[in-house]
Amino acid sequence: MMILVGLLIIAIGAFCQSSCYVPINKIKNWSWESYWLIQGIFAWLVFPFLGALLAVPEGHNLFELFSETNSFNVLMTILFGVLWGVGGLTFGLSMRYLGVALGQSIALGTCAGLGTVLGPVLLNAFFPELNALSSLTFAVILGVVVTLIGIAIIGIAGAMKSSTLSEEEKKAAVKDFNFPKGIIIALLAGFMSGCFNVGLEFGKGIAFAETADIFKTLPATLLVTLGGFATNAIYCFYQNHKNKTWGDYKKGSVWGNNLLFCMLAGALWYSQFFGLSLGKGFLAESETLMTLAFCILMALNVVFSNVWGIILKEWKGVSKSTIIVLVTGIIVLIISTFLPQLI
């Protein structure tokens, strides 16, 4: 029963994350780099900081925690956050060129597999005495493989969509649709986004002993998103300068609307990792699911993003066979969430 509660919490977080791009569509008269920066302030700074405070017992503070923790672990957690920031940056571009459904599917699928495997592998490279590779059991690898199969099936559906729709139909569903460019960016986004889980692996010991299990990963989450924010902020400021879009921030008439939807998008995005932390607190009795939790989150993100893609009519006009392939991929991803626990 506890495991089901944990998976349900992770699923709720995944649904929220998959919905984060919807409020962005309500932002008015701002360039991509401007709204990406502002929503990032909420997604990667404000809400992670508030979440991390839940992990601080009375009489303590976050500065005390970070200063007393092994500085190498803190720096590595931030470093992989910086690398993840590249993934977060290109993640937004992948949805720009492929749409919510296909963009998230390819990027998050790659992220799910690499993030799950790279964490223990790199942790073992730096701290072999921890025997981190022992967590990559047959059940875990099977879960990752089935997840990647589901992603591959959805990718096939995307290729079928690209080949059957006219340019006008593609642009009607996704304004800047560009399948070749989008696929390259989405794969890069997924590879670099996998660094988020690697950062969490290095930072899993950054917590007070008194902190409840459901909040223990929240301080490390803050460090990862802090690193990611630095990457995204530098790029967004560069784009503001290059595209001469500094004037976006002077458009007082749209600030109220845009700030509201940026905040909502940021809250929805952060919900996935807040839910991951809470959910893992209920999965402690299953070492397999603890290792696979990140992969499960990404798989569910893909499921819900495709639901949004259907709602937003991104798959409108495709053939019946394309829809069958898409639904098959979604079903495989759902199965991947529960399969390892049955072994």
Side-chain angles (χ1 to χ4, degrees):
M1 183 62 183
M2 296 291 283
I3 287 177
L4 288 177
V5 172
L7 291 175
L8 178 60
I9 292 173
I10 292 175
I12 293 172
F15 175 77
C16 290
Q17 188 280 334
S18 301
S19 308
C20 74
Y21 204 68
V22 178
I24 287 177
N25 290 329
K26 302 292 185 180
I27 294 174
K28 302 176 181 177
N29 299 323
W30 273 3
S31 60
W32 179 89
E33 56 268 21
S34 299
Y35 74 66
W36 193 250
L37 174 66
I38 301 303
Q39 70 83 32
I41 291 175
F42 290 104
W44 307 320
L45 292 182
V46 176
F47 290 113
F49 174 74
L50 295 176
L53 291 179
L54 295 174
V56 180
E58 186 176 353
H60 298 276
N61 58 67
L62 284 173
F63 178 78
E64 172 191 345
L65 173 64
F66 297 147
S67 62
E68 292 182 353
T69 302
N70 185 320
S71 59
F72 178 80
N73 285 0
V74 172
L75 290 174
M76 290 298 286
T77 303
I78 295 175
L79 172 62
F80 279 102
V82 171
L83 297 176
W84 160 78
V86 177
L89 183 64
T90 48
F91 178 75
L93 291 174
S94 69
M95 289 188 289
R96 176 180 178 181
Y97 294 120
L98 295 177
V100 174
L102 187 56
Q104 290 206 47
S105 296
I106 303 301
L108 293 177
T110 310
C111 174
L114 290 175
T116 301
V117 175
L118 279 178
V121 169
L122 292 178
L123 196 63
N124 185 77
F126 285 96
F127 304 105
E129 68 277 7
L130 297 179
N131 194 27
L133 289 179
S134 64
S135 65
L136 296 179
T137 61
F138 172 77
V140 170
I141 297 300
L142 178 63
V144 171
V145 169
V146 175
T147 298
L148 293 178
I149 290 173
I151 299 300
I153 294 173
I154 291 176
I156 292 172
M160 292 170 67
K161 169 188 175 182
S162 179
S163 64
T164 58
L165 295 182
S166 66
E167 287 301 316
E168 292 74 19
E169 289 173 317
K170 294 173 187 175
K171 300 297 183 182
V174 182
K175 186 176 68 172
D176 297 321
F177 188 84
N178 186 320
F179 188 72
K181 185 176 183 179
I183 286 294
I184 293 173
I185 292 175
L187 290 173
L188 174 62
F191 181 81
M192 299 306 290
S193 292
C195 292
F196 197 107
N197 196 45
V198 180
L200 291 182
E201 284 291 315
F202 276 97
K204 62 184 179 182
I206 304 176
F208 290 103
E210 308 95 310
T211 300
D213 288 342
I214 59 175
F215 299 136
K216 281 204 182 253
T217 65
L218 294 177
T221 301
L222 170 61
L223 292 178
V224 176
T225 58
L226 177 64
F229 175 77
T231 306
N232 280 262
I234 291 171
Y235 181 79
C236 288
F237 286 144
Y238 166 74
Q239 287 296 314
N240 280 142
H241 175 74
K242 176 183 176 183
N243 300 326
K244 297 180 172 58
T245 52
W246 293 108
D248 287 346
Y249 306 116
K250 299 178 181 179
K251 297 176 180 177
S253 60
V254 299
W255 257 102
N257 174 84
N258 292 358
L259 191 65
L260 172 64
F261 286 111
C262 281
M263 181 173 64
L264 180 56
L268 289 171
W269 184 92
Y270 175 66
S271 295
Q272 64 177 317
F273 292 111
F274 186 75
L276 179 65
S277 181
L278 267 61
K280 288 177 73 172
F282 290 91
L283 301 179
E285 62 185 72
S286 173
E287 185 176 342
T288 296
L289 288 182
M290 284 289 285
T291 304
L292 266 178
F294 183 81
C295 187
I296 291 172
L297 173 65
M298 295 300 113
L300 291 174
N301 280 345
V302 173
V303 170
F304 290 124
S305 67
N306 278 283
V307 171
W308 272 115
I310 293 172
I311 293 173
L312 295 173
K313 300 180 179 180
E314 293 179 357
W315 295 92
K316 182 180 179 180
V318 300
S319 65
K320 183 178 179 180
S321 58
T322 301
I323 294 298
I324 292 174
V325 173
L326 173 64
V327 173
T328 300
I330 292 174
I331 292 173
V332 170
L333 286 178
I334 294 174
I335 292 174
S336 74
T337 302
F338 299 97
L339 182 61
Q341 187 60 21
L342 301 177
I343 297 177

